[in-house]
Amino acid sequence: MEDLNGAFGYAPYAVGLGLAVFVIWSVVWIVRYIRATPMKRASIRQAVRVRRTWKRLAPMAGLSVTDKTPTFMAELANTDGKKQHKPRVLIPVLKVTPDEFGVMVRANCLPKVGLEEFKKAAPYLADAWRCTRVSVLPDGPGKVLMRGVRVDPLIVPTEHVPTGRPPKELAKWEVGVDEYGTPVTVSLKDVPGITVGGLPGYGKTSLMNKLICDWAPSPAIQFVPFDGKVSRAREGDYADLVPRTFAFCGDDLEAANKLLKRLVELRRARSTCMKDVLGVKNMWHVGPSEMWPLIVIPMDEVHTFFRDHKGSDPKTKRLAALAADNARLVEDLTKKGRSLGFLTLPITQKTTGDAIPTFIRDVCPIGLSFAQKTAEAAVAALGEDIRQWPDASPINLQDPAYVGVAVMSAQGRPGFVRIRTPYVPDEYAARIAEQTAHLVRDPFKLLEELTGQTVAELAKQAPDEDEDGPELLAA
């Protein structure tokens, strides 16, 4: 009796502790709600609604299963063996997390309620959760991840503020967010090149500005842009970033030819000494470093450098010869520069064969396309498979609301993904370039410091190579 009285004596303290925990939780929740942005608050309310209505919604959407087997406790309670066990309705357990665009919902699978059943129910869940769309992806064994977006991320312009800090992982490209608001990142390790196409003013150059701004704080990356839209470095879209580049080239074909020849010479020199300097046959086995940096070569309006000039006069013939030689040199960098630390990015409006020769375009494993006018241009940018995914075609992005939206193949799964790429204001780009200008190192001089030989001397030691890159072996 005394033990019972003692237990009741602690009851007020237990109730008080429970109330205190509830009050603290409520205060934390309210503070988070008040401090959230208006879009995040709407998502928090949406998350509450998803949790509250799930037990009733799941059976109606076919996401429940009936368990007729009695539990252990039910069997113990059934002493006479005559009592009928009431079947239980099992419903997947949810974990809901709100963000700016909607909710991330993680759920466990049940027998006969797996990934495919969740995918079939996605349209009904979108209506019930008041979402624009709901996607369903696997989230590990026996689990699914549902992404519901209340606001279409593709039509919400975003602005990127560079941190000014070195990237945590070199050659990791944070492209933007997809149509479900999920960040899209692409690893560019061991990638020889990326093609970028799209109509003028739809975000190609801004995409490159973000890439340079994010990577500029790393001394293990050096940049050498070619801009076919301008004649001088202080002009055009890359003018603010020039302080962070070790070289720059405008639309002059002869100047471009000279710079490309120097880069090919550097490529040959690196090929000669990499095994001795780095101890590996592929630079990516050890990764870029300050003394052996990754050389990023954005080539905006690249068709300027490859244009097939028609005419029989000496000047036109000379331009045609330079353009053909430029194509040969860029082919060399894309086909043979991957393992040596060269990343080439041809950028143009239509990535058709007349703008980017197919022997260059087809070597680049990653392709992005902003808005296009024709199916031909979409196929040139993304491959024949885009015909099988008409809803994702870049010809659907010609509306001004889709400025800054690109399409690329979905890595790790079939199909294509549409990505909202953020805009980087000029003042941010200028600030990053100024802050990181001291990191500019000429890779030619770096190689000479490492080896004690000039790039020209090293390049002469390189064996003859065929057009695909392997060494020609003596008979």
Side-chain angles (χ1 to χ4, degrees):
M1 191 67 177
E2 291 180 0
D3 293 341
L4 186 62
N5 291 333
F8 279 112
Y10 287 111
Y13 298 103
V15 172
L17 179 61
L19 288 174
V21 171
F22 177 76
V23 169
I24 293 173
W25 177 85
S26 300
V27 170
V28 171
W29 191 92
I30 292 172
V31 170
R32 287 180 177 175
Y33 183 82
I34 293 174
R35 295 182 63 183
T37 63
M39 288 183 63
K40 183 71 174 287
R41 291 177 194 169
S43 296
I44 292 174
R45 296 193 297 270
Q46 183 183 28
V48 172
R49 184 167 60 251
V50 169
R51 297 188 192 99
R52 189 183 69 244
T53 61
W54 178 240
K55 286 188 177 180
R56 184 174 182 181
L57 174 63
M60 291 190 291
L63 298 176
S64 65
V65 63
T66 301
D67 183 5
K68 298 181 180 180
T69 304
T71 64
F72 177 73
M73 295 303 295
E75 288 181 338
L76 290 178
N78 187 12
T79 55
D80 56 5
K82 298 179 180 180
K83 185 178 179 181
Q84 293 293 328
H85 169 69
K86 184 178 181 180
R88 295 179 302 146
V89 177
L90 302 182
I91 296 173
V93 177
L94 295 187
K95 182 179 180 181
V96 188
T97 306
D99 59 23
E100 290 290 319
F101 297 105
V103 290
M104 300 283 284
V105 183
R106 287 179 165 81
N108 65 302
C109 297
L110 299 172
K112 295 186 178 181
V113 180
L115 179 64
E116 294 303 319
E117 285 68 33
F118 277 100
K119 286 183 177 180
K120 291 177 183 178
Y124 312 116
L125 297 178
D127 292 337
W129 293 346
R130 302 175 190 175
C131 292
T132 302
R133 62 178 75 91
V134 170
S135 71
V136 181
L137 294 172
D139 192 37
K143 297 180 181 180
V144 297
L145 172 63
M146 292 174 282
R147 175 61 168 140
V149 289
R150 186 186 67 263
V151 180
D152 188 352
L154 297 180
I155 62 174
V156 180
T158 56
E159 188 175 283
H160 178 64
V161 181
T163 63
R165 296 189 296 270
K168 294 180 180 179
E169 182 180 344
L170 288 179
K172 183 178 180 181
W173 189 15
E174 297 178 352
V175 187
V177 296
D178 66 12
E179 54 201 292
Y180 296 98
T182 304
V184 177
T185 59
V186 178
S187 176
L188 299 184
K189 292 181 178 179
D190 256 329
V191 173
I194 305 166
T195 59
V196 181
L199 296 176
Y202 272 80
K204 300 187 298 296
T205 304
S206 181
L207 180 72
M208 288 299 103
N209 282 344
K210 180 183 183 300
L211 176 67
I212 295 174
C213 286
D214 286 346
W215 288 4
S218 172
I221 302 176
Q222 299 296 336
F223 306 93
V224 50
F226 290 72
D227 191 351
K229 301 190 301 292
V230 301
S231 299
R232 291 171 291 186
R234 64 174 180 268
E235 301 172 348
D237 298 311
Y238 296 94
D240 294 325
L241 295 170
V242 167
R244 184 57 181 89
T245 65
F246 72 88
F248 180 90
C249 183
D251 59 1
D252 186 288
L253 262 64
E254 185 171 2
N257 189 256
K258 289 180 179 178
L259 183 52
L260 287 171
K261 283 181 178 178
R262 290 189 67 218
L263 291 172
V264 169
E265 186 178 47
L266 177 63
R267 196 274 308 163
R268 289 173 61 85
R270 280 189 169 189
S271 177
T272 300
C273 66
M274 183 170 64
K275 185 66 183 298
D276 294 331
V277 175
L278 300 183
V280 294
K281 295 181 179 180
N282 186 333
M283 181 273 293
W284 290 108
H285 293 168
V286 295
S289 64
E290 184 174 355
M291 295 301 292
W292 193 290
L294 172 66
I295 299 175
V296 181
I297 313 171
M299 302 191 72
D300 210 338
E301 302 296 339
V302 70
H303 56 271
T304 302
F305 308 107
F306 302 150
R307 178 185 167 191
D308 186 14
H309 294 266
K310 303 292 186 181
S312 57
D313 60 285
K315 182 178 179 180
T316 302
K317 287 184 177 180
R318 178 172 169 275
L319 291 175
L322 286 171
D325 199 38
N326 287 342
R328 178 188 65 83
L329 296 168
V330 174
E331 179 189 16
D332 181 288
L333 291 172
T334 52
K335 284 187 174 182
K336 306 171 188 177
R338 171 186 57 82
S339 62
L340 300 168
F342 291 83
L343 175 63
T344 309
L345 299 101
I347 308 162
T348 187
Q349 297 173 25
K350 290 174 61 178
T351 58
T352 48
D354 57 336
I356 303 178
T358 55
F359 52 77
I360 295 174
R361 185 188 69 193
D362 295 345
V363 177
C364 300
I366 299 176
L368 285 87
S369 179
F370 291 85
Q372 297 284 5
K373 279 191 174 182
T374 65
E376 176 197 16
V379 170
L382 301 169
E384 285 288 340
D385 285 353
I386 192 61
R387 297 187 190 275
Q388 309 303 320
W389 304 83
D391 291 343
S393 176
I395 62 176
N396 300 324
L397 301 179
Q398 298 181 56
D399 190 287
Y402 293 116
V403 171
V405 177
V407 180
M408 69 176 293
S409 60
Q411 291 189 323
R413 58 186 174 88
F416 293 82
V417 59
R418 295 181 293 176
I419 307 166
R420 160 60 66 177
T421 63
Y423 172 70
V424 180
D426 293 341
E427 57 269 25
Y428 295 163
R431 174 174 55 83
I432 290 295
E434 182 179 354
Q435 291 176 353
T436 60
H438 66 283
L439 299 177
V440 175
R441 300 289 302 276
D442 188 335
F444 292 83
K445 294 181 180 178
L446 291 174
L447 193 61
E448 292 173 358
E449 291 178 19
L450 282 172
T451 62
Q453 300 183 68
T454 67
V455 169
E457 290 171 346
L458 290 168
K460 288 179 181 179
Q461 299 172 27
D464 291 332
E465 299 170 342
D466 66 13
E467 62 180 4
D468 292 323
E471 299 179 3
L472 290 175
L473 301 179

